[in-house]
Amino acid sequence: MTAQAGTGRTNQKQRTRTAIVAAARDLTATGAEVTMPAIARAALVSEATAYRYFPDLASLISEALAGVWPPPAEALAPVADSADPVERVAFACEFLLRGILARQGSVRAMIAATITRPETVTTRPGIRFGLIDHALLPLEDTLGATDPDAFAQLKRDLAVVVSAESLFTLTDLCGLDPDEAVTSAVRTATTLTEAAVRAIA
């Protein structure tokens, strides 16, 4: 094989991989169900080809979502000047859940993958944790300094509420429409934060 032929094949592989990731990203943005066959069709490749580049759907979605979510400081820029952790948590919760609703097909696929194959959990984006940490920055020098265990517990409590699992429980099991579900989760997140703030008042 000539060097030129080898380079051509490498370039073709890169184009194929790029097309698969782009198709996954486009499908993710629709909020529709995300499956490997659907991605392969959109990328104009066979499903077998898609699996040659990505061993499972979770790893493909993870790469497709890379860079889609803004960093926490950018996401919370509208409340950057607020020193009120309750306001900041409310904003962070709504920001995350609205983003999940917009991409829920891919989020559901990632959750399903990590339930059936727990070893893939590291490929799942941990967006909530960065948002929670950034939202609670005003408490670092108060609750975080005086009662680090309580501060850590608050973050764990919020991780349960500020999450896709919470959102889908409210919509799928409790029967709330998306807006009602977001409002309910935000109310719970702010109640938890308000209780923590009162404890240090």
Side-chain angles (χ1 to χ4, degrees):
M1 181 187 297
T2 66
Q4 186 174 1
T7 300
R9 178 165 294 187
T10 299
N11 289 342
Q12 179 57 49
K13 286 182 176 180
Q14 185 57 49
R15 285 194 293 272
T16 300
R17 182 185 182 89
T18 299
I20 293 169
V21 173
R25 187 174 292 121
D26 290 345
L27 188 57
T28 291
T30 68
E33 181 182 9
V34 177
T35 65
M36 195 66 93
I39 293 169
R41 285 194 299 273
L44 303 179
V45 299
S46 69
E47 187 177 348
T49 296
Y51 275 115
R52 278 200 296 273
Y53 286 84
F54 296 93
D56 50 51
L57 182 60
S59 61
L60 172 51
I61 292 175
S62 180
E63 183 161 332
L65 289 177
V68 170
W69 290 90
E74 183 179 330
L76 271 63
V79 291
D81 294 333
S82 174
D84 180 1
V86 177
E87 178 186 11
R88 292 168 65 91
V89 164
F91 186 90
C93 185
E94 179 149 5
F95 175 86
L96 180 75
L97 299 189
R98 296 289 180 192
I100 289 168
L101 286 171
R103 308 172 180 90
Q104 66 172 299
S106 61
V107 177
R108 287 177 183 274
M110 288 294 284
I111 291 173
T114 56
I115 289 173
T116 57
R117 296 181 55 201
E119 70 276 10
T120 67
V121 72
T122 54
T123 66
R124 184 174 167 187
I127 310 300
R128 79 184 86 173
F129 301 107
L131 289 173
I132 291 169
D133 285 347
H134 200 76
L136 294 179
L137 284 177
L139 291 181
E140 282 195 341
D141 294 333
T142 53
L143 183 63
T146 60
D147 195 341
D149 289 340
F151 192 41
Q153 184 62 53
L154 173 61
K155 290 185 177 184
R156 288 192 291 269
D157 293 343
L158 289 173
V160 174
V161 178
V162 185
S163 68
E165 294 88 348
S166 172
L167 177 65
F168 296 146
T169 295
L170 292 168
T171 56
D172 300 358
L173 302 180
C174 297
L176 299 185
D177 69 36
D179 287 336
E180 290 172 333
V182 171
T183 298
S184 179
V186 169
R187 184 185 304 115
T188 304
T190 55
T191 298
L192 289 168
T193 310
E194 285 169 350
V197 171
R198 282 198 303 271
I200 59 174

